[in-house]
């Protein structure tokens, strides 16, 4: 496995692969890898000749009061996980390698970035789109793998790829959970033992909502109120948002009569966690 910290060297490695006619699968990450990331790597391993993982905590997608400085980092640990998973190249640039000076041009997500995390984290998706576009231009993959854990990010990257004609196939990958239901996240490491237990309220509230919809409830307000009610039973939890939006444009729906995304963000103590589910097929009542 190769590890590169520079754009120049990564391009040289990738050009050599290209000259042999090899295909490249790409998994962008912020590191501190867990089984969620591993599932993306495994899928990429199956579908491509070479697998590239980027590890970069992208400063421009963090707001001023967010966790940029405390975000967990351990490149040696990540290196071992990638090596065991059969990764061919880790691209782990420094901030100055990616942003030698402040960008004058960014990519923005417009309507898709208005709600959910976009409404709560100003500039977040501008930072995400811009870094992913840069990474696509550096790695030039045939396929890129994104988790449904970050459902809004996935929708925006799919749209960006289409609108800006990036020659890459975006491959969505299902959410990987702990055995008790908590969606895996590098941020779970922030949780104390009590908070870790309290964090189960996210997946619990979503499964109650899913059961309601499966039982025939189509009124989004009723679903919303049920999620709210369940989360409020947990003293350590503070709701950041609950959203029921159409799965394409991510705009709120009142009646669930089309594919929807049910997404929540909840603070457990100081840690902000997100979780969601897509409902792809909706039968009429
Ligand atoms: P991150 O390092 O958190 O930026 O995540 C890198 C990629 O891994 C993104 O496409 C995430 O959606 C994906 N990912 C993170 N956690 C999970 C999970 N629990 N299940 C599936 N994919 C995930």
């Amino acid at each position: 496995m190769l590890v590169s910290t520079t754009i120049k060297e990564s391009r040289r490695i990738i050009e050599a692969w290209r000259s042999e006619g090899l295909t490249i699968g790409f998994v962008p990450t912020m590191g501190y890898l867990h089984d969620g990331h591993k599932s993306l790597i495994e899928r990429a391993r199956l579908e491509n000749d070479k697998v590239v993982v980027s590890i970069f905590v992208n400063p421009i997608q963090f707001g001023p009061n967010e966790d940029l400085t405390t975000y967990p980092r351990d490149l040696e640990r990540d290196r071992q996980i990638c090596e065991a998973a059969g990764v061919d190249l880790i691209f782990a640039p420094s901030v100055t390698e990616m942003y030698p000076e402040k960008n004058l041009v960014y990519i923005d997500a417009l309507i898709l970035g208005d709600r959910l995390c976009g409404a709560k984290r100003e500039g977040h998706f501008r930072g995400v789109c811009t870094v992913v576009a840069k990474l696509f231009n550096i790695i030039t993959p045939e396929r890129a793998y994104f988790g449904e854990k970050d459902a809004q990010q996935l929708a925006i990257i799919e749209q960006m790829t289409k609108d800006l004609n990036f020659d890459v196939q975006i491959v969505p990958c299902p959410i990987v959970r702990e055995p008790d239901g908590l969606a895996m996240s590098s941020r779970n490491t922030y949780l104390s033992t009590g908070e870790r237990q309290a964090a189960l309220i996210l997946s619990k509230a979503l499964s109650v909502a899913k059961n309601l919809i499966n039982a025939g409830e189509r009124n989004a307000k009723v679903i919303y109120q049920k999620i709210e009610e369940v989360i409020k039973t947990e003293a350590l939890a503070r709701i950041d948002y609950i959203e029921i939006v159409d799965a394409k444009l991510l705009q709120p729906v009142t009646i669930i009569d089309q594919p929807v995304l049910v997404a929540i963000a909840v603070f457990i103590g100081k840690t902000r966690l997100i979780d969601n589910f897509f409902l792809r097929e909706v039968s009429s009542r």
Side-chain angles (χ1 to χ4, degrees):
M1 187 181 70
L2 301 163
V3 180
S4 163
T5 56
T6 67
I7 295 168
K8 197 170 170 195
E9 189 192 11
S10 300
R11 285 207 162 120
R12 193 185 48 71
I13 294 164
I14 286 160
E15 265 164 35
W17 290 343
R18 288 261 171 260
S19 67
E20 294 176 52
L22 301 175
T23 59
I24 295 166
F26 176 43
V27 181
T29 83
M30 298 206 299
Y32 215 74
L33 303 179
H34 50 65
D35 284 356
H37 299 111
K38 258 205 287 190
S39 73
L40 273 54
I41 296 171
E42 280 159 13
R43 178 89 191 264
R45 186 65 286 161
L46 287 176
E47 298 178 348
N48 304 276
D49 298 318
K50 297 287 181 186
V51 175
V52 180
V53 172
S54 64
I55 296 177
F56 181 59
V57 182
N58 176 36
I60 69 165
Q61 72 185 64
F62 286 77
N65 299 316
E66 295 183 358
D67 56 345
L68 174 62
T69 52
T70 52
Y71 197 86
R73 293 161 168 91
D74 189 341
L75 187 57
E76 180 47 31
R77 179 178 170 277
D78 290 342
R79 205 192 58 73
Q80 288 172 21
I81 291 172
C82 285
E83 179 119 59
V87 170
D88 297 287
L89 168 65
I90 293 179
F91 175 53
S94 66
V95 172
T96 47
E97 178 71 7
M98 288 296 276
Y99 302 108
E101 48 206 44
K102 194 174 179 321
N103 276 29
L104 295 176
V105 176
Y106 294 89
I107 297 179
D108 224 329
L110 306 181
I111 187 176
L112 288 171
D114 280 355
R115 303 188 61 89
L116 302 112
C117 290
K120 299 288 175 176
R121 306 184 65 187
E122 210 197 321
H124 173 66
F125 288 113
R126 189 176 87 151
V128 169
C129 287
T130 303
V131 80
V132 171
K134 284 166 73 75
L135 290 167
F136 282 178
N137 283 333
I138 296 163
I139 309 296
T140 63
E142 267 77 16
R143 294 176 201 83
Y145 297 79
F146 289 84
E148 290 179 347
K149 162 85 190 332
D150 298 276
Q152 187 175 20
Q153 168 174 283
L154 170 61
I156 289 173
I157 296 301
E158 280 177 332
Q159 193 66 39
M160 177 185 90
T161 303
K162 195 167 144 217
D163 286 353
L164 302 184
N165 303 94
F166 281 98
D167 194 11
V168 52
Q169 182 195 339
I170 306 301
V171 183
C173 300
I175 300 178
V176 177
R177 298 178 179 280
E178 300 285 357
D180 61 6
L182 178 67
M184 289 191 180
S185 165
S186 308
R187 290 190 167 98
N188 291 349
T189 53
Y190 296 147
L191 302 170
S192 68
T193 313
E195 289 172 341
R196 170 66 184 76
Q197 191 59 29
L200 291 177
I201 205 67
L202 281 89
S203 53
K204 188 174 163 203
L206 289 178
S207 82
V208 170
K210 203 186 242 177
N211 289 342
L212 259 184
I213 299 173
N214 287 340
E217 182 58 64
R218 292 289 175 268
N219 185 335
K221 195 167 173 198
V222 172
I223 309 292
Y224 178 102
Q225 284 168 343
K226 190 68 191 174
I227 294 173
E228 186 178 40
E229 182 191 314
V230 174
I231 296 173
K232 282 188 169 166
T233 62
E234 175 48 66
L236 296 178
R238 182 167 57 81
I239 295 168
D240 194 32
Y241 68 71
I242 300 167
E243 293 255 25
I244 303 168
V245 296
D246 76 85
K248 226 177 137 39
L249 293 178
L250 309 185
Q251 298 304 300
V253 299
T254 49
I255 300 294
I256 300 173
D257 57 0
Q258 58 181 317
V260 291
L261 167 69
V262 179
I264 60 178
V266 178
F267 282 95
I268 301 292
K270 288 200 173 94
T271 304
R272 184 177 178 278
L273 300 177
I274 56 171
D275 201 348
N276 71 78
F277 66 88
F278 276 105
L279 202 85
R280 294 212 165 74
E281 279 166 37
V282 185
S283 59
S284 54
R285 233 211 269 228

